[in-house]
Amino acid sequence: MPMSQFQALTSTATKKGGLSTGDVGAVYKYKNTLVDVKLDTESNLEVQYFHHHASLTSVVALSQTPTIDLSATIGTPTFVIGAEAGYETSS
């Protein structure tokens, strides 16, 4: 029986002019499932879940007026269906 694996922990940083940006990410794999999480300096949190025939992606802007984006797909080798939704708390 395969065990779960922590695949990678990544970090990037960029400085352009007087501004610095960066992100931290982690990838976790268990059997046919992959979970990818990333947080950046603009307070965006992205979570991606991939399975053999399905995926789910969520992005949350962690600010005073958070926004949430969500997309999902599911399918077989011959048919795929997907949906995407977004919500802005300011409106």
Side-chain angles (χ1 to χ4, degrees):
M1 178 165 53
M3 298 296 290
S4 60
Q5 296 180 357
F6 182 72
Q7 294 289 94
L9 180 62
T10 60
S11 173
T12 60
T14 306
K15 185 172 184 178
K16 186 172 184 178
L19 300 175
S20 295
T21 62
D23 62 53
V24 175
V27 177
Y28 180 78
K29 184 176 182 181
Y30 179 75
K31 296 184 182 180
N32 291 332
T33 302
L34 180 72
V35 177
D36 185 1
V37 179
K38 186 182 289 185
L39 180 63
D40 66 24
T41 55
E42 294 179 3
S43 296
N44 292 322
L45 173 63
E46 181 176 350
V47 177
Q48 297 179 338
Y49 168 84
F50 299 100
H51 193 270
H52 191 62
H53 293 292
S55 70
L56 177 67
T57 301
S58 174
V59 178
V60 179
L62 305 171
S63 62
Q64 271 188 311
T65 55
T67 59
I68 301 169
D69 291 316
L70 180 67
S71 64
T73 58
I74 191 166
T76 67
T78 58
F79 177 78
V80 176
I81 189 167
E84 183 175 345
Y87 178 73
E88 290 189 26
T89 59
S90 64
S91 58

PDB file of all heavy atoms in Angstrom, residues 6 8-9 15 34 36 40 43-44 57-58 63-64 68 71 81:
ATOM      1  N   PHE A   6       5.043  13.911   1.127  1.00  0.00           N
ATOM      2  CA  PHE A   6       5.181  15.353   1.035  1.00  0.00           C
ATOM      3  C   PHE A   6       6.132  15.593  -0.118  1.00  0.00           C
ATOM      4  O   PHE A   6       7.298  15.246  -0.031  1.00  0.00           O
ATOM      5  CB  PHE A   6       5.720  15.917   2.352  1.00  0.00           C
ATOM      6  CG  PHE A   6       5.839  17.406   2.351  1.00  0.00           C
ATOM      7  CD1 PHE A   6       4.718  18.191   2.404  1.00  0.00           C
ATOM      8  CD2 PHE A   6       7.083  18.011   2.271  1.00  0.00           C
ATOM      9  CE1 PHE A   6       4.816  19.570   2.406  1.00  0.00           C
ATOM     10  CE2 PHE A   6       7.197  19.379   2.267  1.00  0.00           C
ATOM     11  CZ  PHE A   6       6.061  20.168   2.340  1.00  0.00           C
ATOM     12  N   ALA A   8       6.922  18.624  -2.061  1.00  0.00           N
ATOM     13  CA  ALA A   8       7.794  19.793  -2.187  1.00  0.00           C
ATOM     14  C   ALA A   8       7.296  20.947  -1.335  1.00  0.00           C
ATOM     15  O   ALA A   8       6.106  21.094  -1.099  1.00  0.00           O
ATOM     16  CB  ALA A   8       7.846  20.239  -3.643  1.00  0.00           C
ATOM     17  N   LEU A   9       8.229  21.741  -0.890  1.00  0.00           N
ATOM     18  CA  LEU A   9       7.962  23.015  -0.235  1.00  0.00           C
ATOM     19  C   LEU A   9       8.773  24.044  -1.002  1.00  0.00           C
ATOM     20  O   LEU A   9       9.994  23.917  -1.117  1.00  0.00           O
ATOM     21  CB  LEU A   9       8.386  22.982   1.228  1.00  0.00           C
ATOM     22  CG  LEU A   9       8.166  24.262   2.028  1.00  0.00           C
ATOM     23  CD1 LEU A   9       6.684  24.599   2.090  1.00  0.00           C
ATOM     24  CD2 LEU A   9       8.726  24.112   3.426  1.00  0.00           C
ATOM     25  N   LYS A  15      12.156  41.249  -6.203  1.00  0.00           N
ATOM     26  CA  LYS A  15      12.174  42.665  -5.864  1.00  0.00           C
ATOM     27  C   LYS A  15      12.284  43.457  -7.146  1.00  0.00           C
ATOM     28  O   LYS A  15      13.199  43.246  -7.939  1.00  0.00           O
ATOM     29  CB  LYS A  15      13.333  42.994  -4.933  1.00  0.00           C
ATOM     30  CG  LYS A  15      13.311  44.430  -4.456  1.00  0.00           C
ATOM     31  CD  LYS A  15      14.353  44.678  -3.397  1.00  0.00           C
ATOM     32  CE  LYS A  15      14.213  46.108  -2.892  1.00  0.00           C
ATOM     33  NZ  LYS A  15      15.161  46.392  -1.829  1.00  0.00           N
ATOM     34  N   LEU A  34      -3.433  14.738  -5.650  1.00  0.00           N
ATOM     35  CA  LEU A  34      -2.413  15.760  -5.477  1.00  0.00           C
ATOM     36  C   LEU A  34      -3.067  17.015  -4.913  1.00  0.00           C
ATOM     37  O   LEU A  34      -4.081  17.481  -5.435  1.00  0.00           O
ATOM     38  CB  LEU A  34      -1.757  16.082  -6.820  1.00  0.00           C
ATOM     39  CG  LEU A  34      -0.657  17.123  -6.830  1.00  0.00           C
ATOM     40  CD1 LEU A  34       0.602  16.544  -6.171  1.00  0.00           C
ATOM     41  CD2 LEU A  34      -0.353  17.553  -8.241  1.00  0.00           C
ATOM     42  N   ASP A  36      -2.141  20.990  -3.853  1.00  0.00           N
ATOM     43  CA  ASP A  36      -1.152  22.057  -4.019  1.00  0.00           C
ATOM     44  C   ASP A  36      -1.688  23.311  -3.325  1.00  0.00           C
ATOM     45  O   ASP A  36      -2.787  23.763  -3.631  1.00  0.00           O
ATOM     46  CB  ASP A  36      -0.943  22.308  -5.507  1.00  0.00           C
ATOM     47  CG  ASP A  36       0.149  23.302  -5.816  1.00  0.00           C
ATOM     48  OD1 ASP A  36       0.793  23.814  -4.881  1.00  0.00           O
ATOM     49  OD2 ASP A  36       0.372  23.574  -7.006  1.00  0.00           O
ATOM     50  N   ASP A  40       0.634  33.949  -1.203  1.00  0.00           N
ATOM     51  CA  ASP A  40       1.565  34.966  -1.680  1.00  0.00           C
ATOM     52  C   ASP A  40       1.479  36.238  -0.850  1.00  0.00           C
ATOM     53  O   ASP A  40       0.626  36.369   0.028  1.00  0.00           O
ATOM     54  CB  ASP A  40       1.374  35.240  -3.176  1.00  0.00           C
ATOM     55  CG  ASP A  40       0.044  35.879  -3.522  1.00  0.00           C
ATOM     56  OD1 ASP A  40      -0.577  36.524  -2.655  1.00  0.00           O
ATOM     57  OD2 ASP A  40      -0.374  35.750  -4.680  1.00  0.00           O
ATOM     58  N   SER A  43      -1.630  38.412  -0.204  1.00  0.00           N
ATOM     59  CA  SER A  43      -2.644  37.758   0.631  1.00  0.00           C
ATOM     60  C   SER A  43      -3.620  36.928  -0.184  1.00  0.00           C
ATOM     61  O   SER A  43      -4.809  36.866   0.123  1.00  0.00           O
ATOM     62  CB  SER A  43      -3.394  38.783   1.490  1.00  0.00           C
ATOM     63  OG  SER A  43      -2.516  39.394   2.382  1.00  0.00           O
ATOM     64  N   ASN A  44      -3.153  36.297  -1.224  1.00  0.00           N
ATOM     65  CA  ASN A  44      -3.962  35.365  -2.007  1.00  0.00           C
ATOM     66  C   ASN A  44      -3.614  33.945  -1.571  1.00  0.00           C
ATOM     67  O   ASN A  44      -2.447  33.570  -1.537  1.00  0.00           O
ATOM     68  CB  ASN A  44      -3.703  35.515  -3.511  1.00  0.00           C
ATOM     69  CG  ASN A  44      -4.199  36.840  -4.035  1.00  0.00           C
ATOM     70  OD1 ASN A  44      -5.240  37.336  -3.625  1.00  0.00           O
ATOM     71  ND2 ASN A  44      -3.459  37.431  -4.941  1.00  0.00           N
ATOM     72  N   THR A  57     -10.296  23.852  -7.647  1.00  0.00           N
ATOM     73  CA  THR A  57      -9.374  24.953  -7.411  1.00  0.00           C
ATOM     74  C   THR A  57     -10.116  26.057  -6.687  1.00  0.00           C
ATOM     75  O   THR A  57     -11.238  26.404  -7.057  1.00  0.00           O
ATOM     76  CB  THR A  57      -8.806  25.503  -8.734  1.00  0.00           C
ATOM     77  OG1 THR A  57      -8.140  24.454  -9.422  1.00  0.00           O
ATOM     78  CG2 THR A  57      -7.842  26.640  -8.489  1.00  0.00           C
ATOM     79  N   SER A  58      -9.492  26.608  -5.664  1.00  0.00           N
ATOM     80  CA  SER A  58     -10.082  27.697  -4.897  1.00  0.00           C
ATOM     81  C   SER A  58      -9.024  28.761  -4.664  1.00  0.00           C
ATOM     82  O   SER A  58      -7.895  28.459  -4.316  1.00  0.00           O
ATOM     83  CB  SER A  58     -10.595  27.169  -3.549  1.00  0.00           C
ATOM     84  OG  SER A  58     -11.042  28.237  -2.759  1.00  0.00           O
ATOM     85  N   SER A  63      -8.127  39.875   2.233  1.00  0.00           N
ATOM     86  CA  SER A  63      -7.981  41.316   2.425  1.00  0.00           C
ATOM     87  C   SER A  63      -9.198  41.832   3.190  1.00  0.00           C
ATOM     88  O   SER A  63     -10.019  41.046   3.653  1.00  0.00           O
ATOM     89  CB  SER A  63      -7.858  42.015   1.064  1.00  0.00           C
ATOM     90  OG  SER A  63      -9.032  41.793   0.310  1.00  0.00           O
ATOM     91  N   GLN A  64      -9.312  43.175   3.318  1.00  0.00           N
ATOM     92  CA  GLN A  64     -10.462  43.737   4.020  1.00  0.00           C
ATOM     93  C   GLN A  64     -11.773  43.370   3.346  1.00  0.00           C
ATOM     94  O   GLN A  64     -12.779  43.197   4.012  1.00  0.00           O
ATOM     95  CB  GLN A  64     -10.355  45.259   4.098  1.00  0.00           C
ATOM     96  CG  GLN A  64      -9.608  45.744   5.311  1.00  0.00           C
ATOM     97  CD  GLN A  64      -9.710  47.249   5.419  1.00  0.00           C
ATOM     98  OE1 GLN A  64      -9.478  47.946   4.437  1.00  0.00           O
ATOM     99  NE2 GLN A  64     -10.031  47.734   6.591  1.00  0.00           N
ATOM    100  N   ILE A  68     -13.637  35.416  -3.373  1.00  0.00           N
ATOM    101  CA  ILE A  68     -13.498  33.968  -3.414  1.00  0.00           C
ATOM    102  C   ILE A  68     -13.810  33.494  -4.822  1.00  0.00           C
ATOM    103  O   ILE A  68     -14.848  33.846  -5.383  1.00  0.00           O
ATOM    104  CB  ILE A  68     -14.455  33.281  -2.411  1.00  0.00           C
ATOM    105  CG1 ILE A  68     -14.167  33.773  -0.996  1.00  0.00           C
ATOM    106  CG2 ILE A  68     -14.354  31.779  -2.509  1.00  0.00           C
ATOM    107  CD1 ILE A  68     -15.206  33.367   0.014  1.00  0.00           C
ATOM    108  N   SER A  71     -13.486  26.812  -8.821  1.00  0.00           N
ATOM    109  CA  SER A  71     -13.775  26.104 -10.067  1.00  0.00           C
ATOM    110  C   SER A  71     -13.616  24.612  -9.817  1.00  0.00           C
ATOM    111  O   SER A  71     -12.825  24.192  -8.989  1.00  0.00           O
ATOM    112  CB  SER A  71     -12.854  26.563 -11.199  1.00  0.00           C
ATOM    113  OG  SER A  71     -11.519  26.247 -10.909  1.00  0.00           O
ATOM    114  N   ILE A  81     -17.244  17.783 -17.455  1.00  0.00           N
ATOM    115  CA  ILE A  81     -18.120  18.905 -17.136  1.00  0.00           C
ATOM    116  C   ILE A  81     -17.435  19.734 -16.057  1.00  0.00           C
ATOM    117  O   ILE A  81     -16.739  19.197 -15.196  1.00  0.00           O
ATOM    118  CB  ILE A  81     -19.511  18.430 -16.679  1.00  0.00           C
ATOM    119  CG1 ILE A  81     -20.468  19.620 -16.561  1.00  0.00           C
ATOM    120  CG2 ILE A  81     -19.441  17.656 -15.397  1.00  0.00           C
ATOM    121  CD1 ILE A  81     -21.916  19.231 -16.429  1.00  0.00           C
TER     122      ILE A  81
END
